[in-house]
Short mmCIF file of all heavy atoms in Angstrom, two decimals:
data_model
loop_
_atom_site.label_atom_id
_atom_site.label_comp_id
_atom_site.label_asym_id
_atom_site.label_seq_id
_atom_site.Cartn_x
_atom_site.Cartn_y
_atom_site.Cartn_z
N GLY W 1166 2.56 8.83 16.52
CA GLY W 1166 3.51 9.53 17.36
C GLY W 1166 4.86 8.84 17.40
O GLY W 1166 4.94 7.61 17.41
N LEU W 1167 5.90 9.68 17.40
CA LEU W 1167 7.25 9.19 17.64
C LEU W 1167 7.70 9.85 18.93
O LEU W 1167 7.82 11.08 19.01
CB LEU W 1167 8.20 9.59 16.51
CG LEU W 1167 8.09 8.87 15.16
CD1 LEU W 1167 6.85 9.29 14.39
CD2 LEU W 1167 9.35 9.13 14.34
N GLU W 1168 7.90 9.08 19.97
CA GLU W 1168 8.24 9.65 21.28
C GLU W 1168 9.69 10.10 21.36
O GLU W 1168 9.99 11.13 21.94
CB GLU W 1168 7.95 8.62 22.37
CG GLU W 1168 6.46 8.37 22.58
CD GLU W 1168 6.19 7.48 23.78
OE1 GLU W 1168 7.16 6.89 24.30
OE2 GLU W 1168 5.02 7.39 24.19
N SER W 1169 10.60 9.33 20.77
CA SER W 1169 12.02 9.65 20.79
C SER W 1169 12.60 9.21 19.45
O SER W 1169 12.99 8.06 19.28
CB SER W 1169 12.71 8.93 21.95
OG SER W 1169 14.09 9.23 21.96
N ALA W 1170 12.62 10.15 18.50
CA ALA W 1170 12.99 9.80 17.14
C ALA W 1170 14.42 9.28 17.02
O ALA W 1170 15.33 9.75 17.72
CB ALA W 1170 12.81 11.01 16.23
N ALA W 1171 14.58 8.30 16.13
CA ALA W 1171 15.89 7.71 15.85
C ALA W 1171 16.16 7.79 14.34
O ALA W 1171 15.21 7.79 13.55
CB ALA W 1171 15.93 6.26 16.31
N PRO W 1172 17.42 7.83 13.93
CA PRO W 1172 17.73 7.88 12.49
C PRO W 1172 17.09 6.73 11.70
O PRO W 1172 16.76 6.92 10.52
CB PRO W 1172 19.25 7.79 12.47
CG PRO W 1172 19.68 8.43 13.76
CD PRO W 1172 18.63 8.00 14.76
N SER W 1173 16.86 5.58 12.34
CA SER W 1173 16.23 4.45 11.66
C SER W 1173 14.77 4.72 11.30
O SER W 1173 14.17 3.97 10.52
CB SER W 1173 16.31 3.19 12.53
OG SER W 1173 15.62 3.39 13.75
N GLN W 1174 14.23 5.78 11.85
CA GLN W 1174 12.85 6.15 11.55
C GLN W 1174 12.76 7.14 10.39
O GLN W 1174 11.66 7.60 10.05
CB GLN W 1174 12.15 6.70 12.80
CG GLN W 1174 11.98 5.63 13.88
CD GLN W 1174 11.35 6.15 15.15
OE1 GLN W 1174 11.86 7.12 15.75
NE2 GLN W 1174 10.28 5.53 15.58
N THR W 1175 13.89 7.47 9.81
CA THR W 1175 13.89 8.26 8.58
C THR W 1175 13.18 7.45 7.50
O THR W 1175 13.58 6.33 7.18
CB THR W 1175 15.32 8.59 8.14
OG1 THR W 1175 15.91 9.45 9.10
CG2 THR W 1175 15.33 9.26 6.77
N SER W 1176 12.11 8.02 6.95
CA SER W 1176 11.28 7.26 6.02
C SER W 1176 10.22 8.18 5.43
O SER W 1176 10.10 9.34 5.79
CB SER W 1176 10.60 6.10 6.75
OG SER W 1176 9.91 5.26 5.86
N VAL W 1177 9.44 7.62 4.52
CA VAL W 1177 8.23 8.28 4.05
C VAL W 1177 7.05 7.54 4.68
O VAL W 1177 6.94 6.32 4.54
CB VAL W 1177 8.10 8.27 2.52
CG1 VAL W 1177 6.82 8.99 2.10
CG2 VAL W 1177 9.32 8.93 1.88
N TYR W 1178 6.20 8.29 5.35
CA TYR W 1178 5.09 7.69 6.07
C TYR W 1178 3.79 7.95 5.31
O TYR W 1178 3.50 9.08 4.91
CB TYR W 1178 4.99 8.28 7.48
CG TYR W 1178 6.15 7.84 8.36
CD1 TYR W 1178 7.35 8.54 8.35
CD2 TYR W 1178 6.06 6.70 9.15
CE1 TYR W 1178 8.43 8.13 9.13
CE2 TYR W 1178 7.12 6.28 9.93
CZ TYR W 1178 8.31 7.00 9.90
OH TYR W 1178 9.36 6.59 10.67
N PHE W 1179 3.03 6.89 5.13
CA PHE W 1179 1.75 6.99 4.45
C PHE W 1179 0.63 6.56 5.37
O PHE W 1179 0.72 5.53 6.04
CB PHE W 1179 1.73 6.12 3.19
CG PHE W 1179 2.53 6.66 2.06
CD1 PHE W 1179 3.82 6.19 1.81
CD2 PHE W 1179 2.02 7.67 1.24
CE1 PHE W 1179 4.57 6.70 0.77
CE2 PHE W 1179 2.76 8.18 0.20
CZ PHE W 1179 4.04 7.70 -0.04
N CYS W 1180 -0.41 7.34 5.35
CA CYS W 1180 -1.65 6.97 6.00
C CYS W 1180 -2.61 6.48 4.94
O CYS W 1180 -2.59 6.96 3.80
CB CYS W 1180 -2.23 8.18 6.72
SG CYS W 1180 -3.84 7.89 7.49
N ALA W 1181 -3.45 5.53 5.29
CA ALA W 1181 -4.46 5.03 4.37
C ALA W 1181 -5.74 4.76 5.14
O ALA W 1181 -5.73 4.60 6.37
CB ALA W 1181 -3.99 3.75 3.67
N SER W 1182 -6.84 4.72 4.41
CA SER W 1182 -8.11 4.38 5.04
C SER W 1182 -8.89 3.48 4.10
O SER W 1182 -8.63 3.45 2.88
CB SER W 1182 -8.91 5.64 5.39
OG SER W 1182 -9.36 6.29 4.20
N SER W 1183 -9.86 2.76 4.65
CA SER W 1183 -10.66 1.88 3.82
C SER W 1183 -11.98 1.55 4.52
O SER W 1183 -12.13 1.77 5.73
CB SER W 1183 -9.91 0.57 3.52
OG SER W 1183 -9.91 -0.28 4.65
N TYR W 1184 -12.91 1.02 3.73
CA TYR W 1184 -14.08 0.40 4.32
C TYR W 1184 -13.64 -0.92 4.95
O TYR W 1184 -12.60 -1.47 4.61
CB TYR W 1184 -15.13 0.13 3.24
CG TYR W 1184 -15.72 1.38 2.64
CD1 TYR W 1184 -15.39 1.77 1.35
CD2 TYR W 1184 -16.61 2.16 3.37
CE1 TYR W 1184 -15.94 2.91 0.79
CE2 TYR W 1184 -17.15 3.31 2.81
CZ TYR W 1184 -16.81 3.69 1.52
OH TYR W 1184 -17.34 4.81 0.98
#
Side-chain angles (χ1 to χ4, degrees):
Chain W
L1167 286 73
E1168 290 187 348
S1169 179
S1173 61
Q1174 294 178 304
T1175 294
S1176 186
V1177 181
Y1178 291 86
F1179 287 99
C1180 176
S1182 69
S1183 76
Y1184 293 108

